[in-house]
Amino acid sequence: MAPAVKAGVWLAFVAAGLSTAAARADLADVERRDELRWGGDLQGGEPYVFEDEEQPGVLKGFEVDIAEALARELGVRPKLIQNDWSNLVPALERGDFDVILNGLEETPERRQRIRLSAPYYTYGETLTVRAGATYEDLKQLEGKRVGSLNQTVASDILKASHAELVLYEGQQEPYLDLAKGRTEAVLLDHVIADRYGCVLPELRCLPGDVARGHYVLGVRQDSPALARAIDGALEKLSRTGELKGILTRWKLWDARQPPLQGASEPPVVAEPKAAAPPSVEAPVARRFTVGHAVLFLRGAWVTLLISALSFALASPLGMALATLRLYAGRAGRWFAAAYVELFRGTPLLLQLYVLYFGIADLVRLSPLTAAVLGLALNYGAYEAEVYRGALSSVPPGQTEAARALGLSFWQALRHVVFPQALRTALPAVTNDFVALLKDSSLISVITVVELTKRMTILAVELRDWITPGLMCAALYFLMSFPLARLARRIERRLEPSAAAADGAAT
Amino acid sequence: MSQPIVHLSGVGKRFGARHVLRGVDAEVRAGTIVSLVGASGSGKTTLLRCLNGLEAIDAGRIVISGHVIEPSPSDDALTRLRADVGMVFQDYQLFPHLSVLENLCLAPQVVRKYSRAAAEKRAHALLDAVGLADRHRSKPTELSGGQKQRVALARALAQDVKVLLLDEPTSALDARTRDDIVRILRELVQRGAEPLTLVLVTHDLPLAETLSDEVWTLVEGRIAHPGGSAA
């Protein structure tokens, strides 16, 4: 074969490979799936994306409307993938959804990491202080505590200023803390400030924007065609006035909105000037409905399911590790000890991140699989120590007696040592299961909406932490308490009865 | 006279630098009762444990009920040996998580692969023989010391052993219970279709003399008067 032909064949292979790889994540895939999966966080609440108070489970918000319009332009259906806001970019990169559409601010750093669409909204950074305070701009807040949200442009501005940055995860808490005097000011997008801050009587929003910037969609680097299609669709929505219609309907259209031209600049610090008159009211506090209760129960079910599955794996894993550590050769003992120290010595949160994001290029685990696996691997280490202690507590004479009866080493372990060790381990094991039930709330960082996440979403929606908090606590208690009771009963049944021994003839 | 069922030649055992057994030569005839006596630390319990393979010997050779025990026996060889040579521990070591009946049935079912029904039938017969027919459902913690000893005896016999090793079978018992155990041991040796051989370690010289056909005295790791009676 001539070298040129060879090279040609080689190139064709590479091209085929590239196009397949691209199609996997790009527009063609969205079309094949007939679904535009967009990542957002329900905890962001009104007006971005939130659940309908009348019909929990039904989505509302200006970004829901934009997603619908965009999907319609692409000829597919929109589907929200719930994801913690602060993890939207890594989750996009690992392919959990096709685009980010959730108040994602345009920044040079983000543009280097992922593709950013044309803007769909211009926001201003609003500085909010207590009504009686005399602060007039950010400079006067030098050395003072100023609240903001993690991963936002507002938090970047504060980092660059001389104020002390206090980070929050939800958009209501910064204002509640400000009103209580825990901070001196809050810097956040006007969309949030207008609804959650300026409406509180204790607070005052300073006129003029500290900075302005744009909300954009995020698209993976390997999806150029999807990015182009999104930009095309946005341009059309803007040109036909549909975007303006959506923004107006959500009381978001204001003087900040330029005739969106597609070209955009990074956020710039603007001169203070008269802000648009606040045209919005605070979102009405909602009532807790039956629908909410159903969502809560669903969250509890997810928590219970994941806890049960992961513990069902962690238990045998711990038993195997303990057996290795006590009875295996040097390599096995070393492995078991290293495993326990590694998984016990690093945070569960970190392990979940590694499983879900860290190894996503090698193994693409679904959120549920990663959650179950992460909890199982972590708790396996703790169970290993529980079982090691329990196995060691069985007197060596018991193994010897079993061996003297002709049982092999493994038969002696299985029939004599393990059953006694299990009985000893039961209280600690039950304790660990209850701990796992509660630790499972950590899995919300890898997009699983379990009980605690459901509670925080609802608390933002209801403007109330007490009712959802109590309900959440009650559900955890209802799951853990019967379990503890059951374990106690089993324990009592397994215990050799002391009373009977005392009463026995001598 | 019956054939020797246990044959020891030059058996040696040491723990580190300490020589516990220094060349033991002896024979036990089938169907007899042999008592091992001697001061504490004379090596009698070690010798008993060597007969069952619980301690590996360092030197010499033991032939017991047709099984040859050499310095490093395989697991299989030990399992076969233990099917013929039972052991009753000084502290009984009954399995506390199992009932009396289950204690007796475990080895026949797991090692001998007897059916549950067959194992239970045999276990009931043995419990009857040691006078505990009505306690088969009890847990070991519910039994008195003498009852535990009888269960331990029955458990060791549940596999049709030819040789039964007993470590201080009466040390923890009061006089009346001790007499019960002695009576049961005598009956066991006499009643089986095949002769049962007993080797027991004891501090109790009167017991050794009344119960045994032979008394071996261990002194510094050797048998002082094989075949003779205790001094």
Side-chain angles (χ1 to χ4, degrees):
Chain A
M1 209 186 286
V5 180
K6 241 188 201 166
V9 171
W10 175 236
L11 272 179
F13 267 117
V14 172
L18 282 178
S19 65
T20 338
R24 195 157 37 88
D26 206 351
L27 181 61
D29 193 43
V30 171
E31 285 168 348
R32 188 182 49 73
R33 249 190 288 109
D34 192 24
E35 218 171 53
L36 177 67
R37 298 172 307 168
W38 59 288
D41 190 351
L42 287 169
Q43 201 177 336
E46 194 171 342
Y48 299 92
V49 45
F50 57 101
E51 280 173 333
D52 190 337
E53 71 275 19
E54 304 294 325
Q55 319 160 56
V58 175
L59 300 175
K60 287 174 81 174
F62 80 104
E63 286 173 339
V64 176
D65 293 347
I66 291 176
E68 268 166 18
L70 286 176
R72 188 194 66 228
E73 291 302 318
L74 300 185
V76 298
R77 287 172 293 121
K79 183 182 182 189
L80 170 72
I81 306 292
Q82 163 63 34
N83 199 96
D84 257 24
W85 194 82
S86 47
N87 285 324
L88 281 171
V89 172
L92 171 78
E93 283 174 333
R94 78 186 286 286
D96 288 351
F97 37 78
D98 307 308
V99 297
I100 299 171
L101 172 49
N102 199 206
L104 185 74
E105 300 144 311
E106 177 185 44
T107 64
E109 296 75 32
R110 280 200 183 117
R111 190 172 285 289
Q112 280 188 350
R113 192 163 167 187
I114 56 175
R115 290 172 187 275
L116 299 181
S117 74
Y120 60 87
Y121 190 68
T122 303
Y123 65 86
E125 298 292 4
T126 299
L127 195 60
T128 308
V129 297
R130 270 188 300 283
T134 55
Y135 304 112
E136 287 307 329
D137 61 34
L138 198 52
K139 285 192 205 83
Q140 296 170 358
L141 286 157
E142 195 175 318
K144 307 287 183 199
R145 288 162 59 83
V146 181
S148 189
L149 287 178
N150 202 2
Q151 311 273 329
T152 57
V153 166
S155 71
D156 290 342
I157 293 172
L158 290 173
K159 273 177 210 154
S161 78
H162 294 285
E164 185 192 335
L165 174 60
V166 183
L167 286 178
Y168 295 88
E169 290 293 328
Q171 68 279 67
Q172 192 189 10
E173 300 95 303
Y175 294 106
L176 296 179
D177 261 12
L178 174 60
K180 293 203 169 67
R182 289 191 184 130
T183 56
E184 288 303 310
V186 171
L187 184 68
L188 276 176
D189 304 5
H190 78 271
V191 179
I192 299 171
D194 287 353
R195 284 164 182 77
Y196 297 87
C198 315
V199 291
L200 297 181
E202 306 96 313
L203 302 184
R204 176 168 70 96
C205 288
L206 301 183
D209 296 337
V210 173
R212 280 196 186 164
H214 300 117
Y215 288 160
V216 293
L217 281 88
V219 184
R220 253 190 317 280
Q221 287 290 7
D222 65 0
S223 309
L226 179 60
R228 276 195 303 278
I230 294 281
D231 276 347
L234 273 176
E235 192 272 331
K236 186 177 168 200
L237 296 181
S238 178
R239 180 159 41 80
T240 58
E242 185 174 355
L243 183 58
K244 182 176 178 181
I246 292 172
L247 295 174
T248 307
R249 196 158 63 244
W250 286 99
K251 299 188 173 162
L252 287 163
W253 187 263
D254 57 21
R256 294 181 184 90
Q257 307 309 314
L260 293 165
Q261 300 134 341
S264 58
E265 296 130 34
V268 288
V269 175
E271 289 300 310
K273 59 182 170 188
S279 57
V280 293
E281 307 131 31
V284 208
R286 305 201 173 87
R287 287 242 193 83
F288 193 89
T289 65
V290 177
H292 290 133
V294 170
L295 286 175
F296 250 123
L297 288 176
R298 212 180 288 162
W301 167 242
V302 171
T303 289
L304 193 61
L305 181 76
I306 287 185
S307 303
L309 283 178
S310 43
F311 207 70
L313 288 175
S315 234
L317 173 64
M319 184 86 83
L321 286 167
T323 307
L324 271 182
R325 186 140 186 200
L326 287 173
Y327 310 115
R330 177 189 284 235
R333 285 205 308 269
W334 186 88
F335 169 81
Y339 181 99
V340 168
E341 294 312 328
L342 178 69
F343 278 85
R344 206 175 47 165
T346 56
L348 173 58
L349 194 60
L350 174 72
Q351 292 160 20
L352 288 170
Y353 275 126
V354 169
L355 268 180
Y356 193 66
F357 296 114
I359 61 166
D361 286 339
L362 302 173
V363 199
R364 184 67 51 84
L365 299 172
S366 78
L368 283 182
T369 314
V372 168
L373 209 59
L375 286 166
L377 291 175
N378 182 270
Y379 269 80
Y382 287 95
E383 295 323 285
E385 287 301 277
V386 169
Y387 287 127
R388 184 164 73 104
L391 287 169
S392 310
S393 77
V394 178
Q398 288 282 302
T399 317
E400 206 160 65
R403 299 282 278 141
L405 285 169
L407 276 73
S408 71
F409 179 72
W410 291 107
Q411 285 170 335
L413 274 190
R414 165 156 153 43
H415 294 284
V416 174
V417 180
F418 279 160
Q420 295 185 55
L422 280 181
R423 193 171 67 192
T424 313
L426 193 64
V429 167
T430 314
N431 200 36
D432 281 352
F433 184 78
V434 173
L436 183 145
L437 202 66
K438 290 173 291 166
D439 272 0
S440 68
S441 61
L442 286 175
I443 63 178
S444 66
V445 300
I446 56 171
T447 82
V448 180
V449 181
E450 43 62 66
L451 186 50
T452 302
K453 179 72 179 176
R454 172 55 62 193
M455 189 274 288
T456 54
I457 292 174
L458 218 61
V460 170
E461 192 180 315
L462 299 175
R463 304 286 182 286
D464 171 23
W465 287 87
I466 294 173
T467 315
L470 285 177
M471 179 126 186
C472 180
L475 282 170
Y476 273 114
F477 183 74
L478 280 177
M479 289 189 279
S480 59
F481 185 66
L483 195 88
R485 287 295 295 267
L486 179 72
R488 184 73 199 107
R489 264 178 62 180
I490 297 173
E491 232 171 274
R492 218 176 286 150
R493 227 181 47 202
L494 290 175
E495 248 165 39
S497 151
D502 290 344
T506 48
Chain B
M1 245 1 230
S2 53
Q3 294 298 307
I5 191 165
V6 183
H7 185 96
L8 300 134
S9 54
V11 172
K13 171 74 187 174
R14 51 177 200 171
F15 293 107
R18 200 164 67 86
H19 287 264
V20 180
L21 301 178
R22 302 164 177 264
V24 177
D25 300 297
E27 276 184 5
V28 181
R29 279 169 292 113
T32 59
I33 301 179
V34 172
S35 290
L36 284 169
V37 299
S40 292
S42 61
K44 52 191 192 304
T45 293
T46 301
L47 181 57
L48 194 75
R49 289 167 63 86
C50 287
L51 293 179
N52 184 271
L54 284 174
E55 300 292 351
I57 56 177
D58 299 322
R61 186 173 132 103
I62 300 174
V63 182
I64 180 162
S65 187
H67 304 277
V68 180
I69 309 178
E70 276 163 338
S72 44
S74 71
D75 255 21
D76 271 0
L78 285 176
T79 300
R80 285 195 301 275
L81 163 75
R82 288 163 180 163
D84 283 345
V85 182
M87 174 99 171
V88 177
F89 293 86
Q90 183 175 10
D91 49 3
Y92 322 128
Q93 294 292 350
L94 299 180
F95 304 131
H97 61 299
L98 301 178
S99 71
V100 165
L101 188 69
E102 288 163 337
N103 261 276
L104 266 62
C105 291
L106 180 67
Q109 284 186 260
V110 171
V111 184
R112 291 287 184 99
K113 310 289 178 209
Y114 286 3
S115 73
R116 186 182 164 144
E120 284 187 358
K121 189 174 167 213
R122 168 107 182 116
H124 281 297
L126 278 163
L127 286 176
D128 198 31
V130 298
L132 287 173
D134 55 336
R135 299 308 298 266
H136 64 275
R137 280 202 198 87
S138 305
K139 284 285 173 73
T141 45
E142 300 163 12
L143 302 176
S144 68
Q147 289 171 329
K148 284 180 190 166
Q149 177 65 286
R150 284 185 271 163
V151 173
L153 264 175
R155 183 176 71 176
L157 294 171
Q159 293 194 81
D160 301 308
V161 295
K162 313 287 187 297
V163 181
L164 184 61
L165 312 172
L166 300 112
D167 193 4
E168 303 277 6
T170 59
S171 65
L173 306 178
D174 60 45
R176 210 188 64 207
T177 319
R178 196 193 71 161
D179 293 345
D180 279 350
I181 294 294
V182 169
R183 179 179 49 78
I184 289 168
L185 286 176
R186 280 221 178 89
E187 282 172 15
L188 286 173
V189 173
Q190 286 155 14
R191 77 192 257 284
E194 279 190 77
L196 178 65
T197 307
L198 299 188
V199 179
L200 55 111
V201 161
T202 184
H203 272 110
D204 185 345
L205 284 181
L207 172 81
E209 289 182 344
T210 53
L211 184 66
S212 323
D213 301 302
E214 285 183 35
V215 177
W216 296 349
T217 307
L218 269 162
V219 180
E220 290 180 353
R222 287 194 187 86
I223 293 175
H225 306 289
S229 71

Short mmCIF file of all heavy atoms in Angstrom, two decimals, chain A residues 214-236:
data_model
loop_
_atom_site.label_atom_id
_atom_site.label_comp_id
_atom_site.label_asym_id
_atom_site.label_seq_id
_atom_site.Cartn_x
_atom_site.Cartn_y
_atom_site.Cartn_z
N HIS A 214 -23.78 38.71 32.45
CA HIS A 214 -24.80 38.01 31.68
C HIS A 214 -25.01 36.58 32.18
O HIS A 214 -24.05 35.93 32.59
CB HIS A 214 -24.39 37.95 30.22
CG HIS A 214 -24.21 39.30 29.61
ND1 HIS A 214 -23.01 39.74 29.13
CD2 HIS A 214 -25.08 40.31 29.44
CE1 HIS A 214 -23.14 40.98 28.67
NE2 HIS A 214 -24.39 41.35 28.85
N TYR A 215 -26.25 36.15 32.10
CA TYR A 215 -26.53 34.72 32.26
C TYR A 215 -26.39 34.07 30.90
O TYR A 215 -26.92 34.59 29.90
CB TYR A 215 -27.96 34.50 32.75
CG TYR A 215 -28.18 34.89 34.21
CD1 TYR A 215 -29.47 35.13 34.67
CD2 TYR A 215 -27.13 34.98 35.11
CE1 TYR A 215 -29.72 35.48 35.98
CE2 TYR A 215 -27.35 35.33 36.43
CZ TYR A 215 -28.64 35.58 36.86
OH TYR A 215 -28.87 35.92 38.16
N VAL A 216 -25.70 32.96 30.86
CA VAL A 216 -25.50 32.23 29.60
C VAL A 216 -25.75 30.75 29.83
O VAL A 216 -25.81 30.29 30.98
CB VAL A 216 -24.05 32.43 29.09
CG1 VAL A 216 -23.82 33.87 28.69
CG2 VAL A 216 -23.05 32.00 30.17
N LEU A 217 -25.88 30.02 28.73
CA LEU A 217 -25.95 28.56 28.86
C LEU A 217 -24.54 28.01 28.77
O LEU A 217 -23.69 28.57 28.07
CB LEU A 217 -26.79 27.93 27.75
CG LEU A 217 -28.31 28.00 27.89
CD1 LEU A 217 -28.82 29.29 27.29
CD2 LEU A 217 -28.96 26.80 27.24
N GLY A 218 -24.28 26.91 29.44
CA GLY A 218 -23.00 26.23 29.33
C GLY A 218 -23.16 24.97 28.49
O GLY A 218 -24.15 24.25 28.64
N VAL A 219 -22.21 24.75 27.60
CA VAL A 219 -22.23 23.56 26.74
C VAL A 219 -20.83 22.94 26.80
O VAL A 219 -19.84 23.65 26.94
CB VAL A 219 -22.58 23.94 25.27
CG1 VAL A 219 -22.70 22.69 24.42
CG2 VAL A 219 -23.86 24.75 25.22
N ARG A 220 -20.78 21.60 26.71
CA ARG A 220 -19.48 20.93 26.77
C ARG A 220 -18.59 21.33 25.61
O ARG A 220 -19.06 21.62 24.52
CB ARG A 220 -19.68 19.41 26.74
CG ARG A 220 -19.43 18.72 28.04
CD ARG A 220 -19.41 17.20 27.89
NE ARG A 220 -20.48 16.73 27.03
CZ ARG A 220 -21.75 16.57 27.44
NH1 ARG A 220 -22.09 16.85 28.67
NH2 ARG A 220 -22.66 16.13 26.61
N GLN A 221 -17.28 21.29 25.85
CA GLN A 221 -16.32 21.62 24.79
C GLN A 221 -16.50 20.74 23.56
O GLN A 221 -16.34 21.20 22.44
CB GLN A 221 -14.87 21.44 25.31
CG GLN A 221 -14.43 22.49 26.29
CD GLN A 221 -14.22 23.85 25.65
OE1 GLN A 221 -14.54 24.06 24.48
NE2 GLN A 221 -13.73 24.79 26.45
N ASP A 222 -16.86 19.46 23.78
CA ASP A 222 -16.94 18.55 22.64
C ASP A 222 -18.29 18.60 21.93
O ASP A 222 -18.64 17.70 21.20
CB ASP A 222 -16.60 17.12 23.08
CG ASP A 222 -17.62 16.56 24.06
OD1 ASP A 222 -18.59 17.28 24.39
OD2 ASP A 222 -17.44 15.42 24.51
N SER A 223 -19.07 19.66 22.19
CA SER A 223 -20.38 19.75 21.54
C SER A 223 -20.52 21.06 20.75
O SER A 223 -21.41 21.85 21.02
CB SER A 223 -21.50 19.67 22.58
OG SER A 223 -21.33 18.56 23.42
N PRO A 224 -19.66 21.26 19.76
CA PRO A 224 -19.71 22.53 19.02
C PRO A 224 -21.04 22.71 18.28
O PRO A 224 -21.58 23.83 18.23
CB PRO A 224 -18.54 22.42 18.04
CG PRO A 224 -18.23 20.97 17.94
CD PRO A 224 -18.60 20.36 19.26
N ALA A 225 -21.56 21.62 17.73
CA ALA A 225 -22.79 21.74 16.95
C ALA A 225 -23.96 22.14 17.86
O ALA A 225 -24.79 22.99 17.49
CB ALA A 225 -23.09 20.42 16.24
N LEU A 226 -24.00 21.56 19.06
CA LEU A 226 -25.07 21.89 19.99
C LEU A 226 -24.95 23.36 20.40
O LEU A 226 -25.94 24.09 20.47
CB LEU A 226 -24.99 20.98 21.23
CG LEU A 226 -26.05 21.23 22.30
CD1 LEU A 226 -27.46 21.04 21.74
CD2 LEU A 226 -25.82 20.32 23.51
N ALA A 227 -23.70 23.81 20.63
CA ALA A 227 -23.49 25.21 21.03
C ALA A 227 -23.99 26.14 19.93
O ALA A 227 -24.66 27.14 20.21
CB ALA A 227 -22.01 25.45 21.33
N ARG A 228 -23.67 25.79 18.68
CA ARG A 228 -24.13 26.64 17.55
C ARG A 228 -25.64 26.65 17.49
O ARG A 228 -26.27 27.68 17.29
CB ARG A 228 -23.55 26.11 16.23
CG ARG A 228 -22.14 26.63 15.94
CD ARG A 228 -21.77 26.39 14.47
NE ARG A 228 -21.87 24.98 14.09
CZ ARG A 228 -20.90 24.08 14.34
NH1 ARG A 228 -19.79 24.46 14.95
NH2 ARG A 228 -21.04 22.83 13.97
N ALA A 229 -26.25 25.48 17.67
CA ALA A 229 -27.70 25.38 17.58
C ALA A 229 -28.37 26.20 18.69
O ALA A 229 -29.39 26.87 18.46
CB ALA A 229 -28.13 23.91 17.68
N ILE A 230 -27.79 26.17 19.89
CA ILE A 230 -28.34 26.94 21.01
C ILE A 230 -28.25 28.44 20.72
O ILE A 230 -29.22 29.19 20.90
CB ILE A 230 -27.56 26.62 22.31
CG1 ILE A 230 -27.76 25.16 22.74
CG2 ILE A 230 -27.95 27.57 23.43
CD1 ILE A 230 -29.05 24.86 23.42
N ASP A 231 -27.08 28.87 20.22
CA ASP A 231 -26.92 30.28 19.90
C ASP A 231 -27.93 30.70 18.83
O ASP A 231 -28.53 31.78 18.92
CB ASP A 231 -25.49 30.56 19.42
CG ASP A 231 -24.55 30.78 20.60
OD1 ASP A 231 -25.06 30.96 21.73
OD2 ASP A 231 -23.32 30.75 20.39
N GLY A 232 -28.10 29.84 17.83
CA GLY A 232 -29.06 30.15 16.76
C GLY A 232 -30.45 30.30 17.33
O GLY A 232 -31.19 31.25 17.00
N ALA A 233 -30.83 29.36 18.22
CA ALA A 233 -32.17 29.39 18.79
C ALA A 233 -32.36 30.62 19.68
O ALA A 233 -33.41 31.28 19.64
CB ALA A 233 -32.41 28.11 19.60
N LEU A 234 -31.33 30.97 20.46
CA LEU A 234 -31.41 32.15 21.32
C LEU A 234 -31.59 33.41 20.48
O LEU A 234 -32.39 34.30 20.82
CB LEU A 234 -30.13 32.28 22.16
CG LEU A 234 -30.08 31.53 23.49
CD1 LEU A 234 -28.71 31.70 24.12
CD2 LEU A 234 -31.17 32.04 24.45
N GLU A 235 -30.83 33.45 19.42
CA GLU A 235 -30.90 34.63 18.53
C GLU A 235 -32.33 34.77 18.00
O GLU A 235 -32.89 35.86 17.97
CB GLU A 235 -29.88 34.46 17.41
CG GLU A 235 -29.63 35.69 16.58
CD GLU A 235 -30.59 35.81 15.40
OE1 GLU A 235 -31.05 34.76 14.89
OE2 GLU A 235 -30.92 36.96 15.00
N LYS A 236 -32.92 33.64 17.64
CA LYS A 236 -34.27 33.69 17.10
C LYS A 236 -35.27 34.13 18.17
O LYS A 236 -36.14 34.97 17.93
CB LYS A 236 -34.65 32.32 16.55
CG LYS A 236 -36.00 32.34 15.82
CD LYS A 236 -36.35 31.00 15.20
CE LYS A 236 -37.80 30.99 14.76
NZ LYS A 236 -38.30 29.62 14.60
#
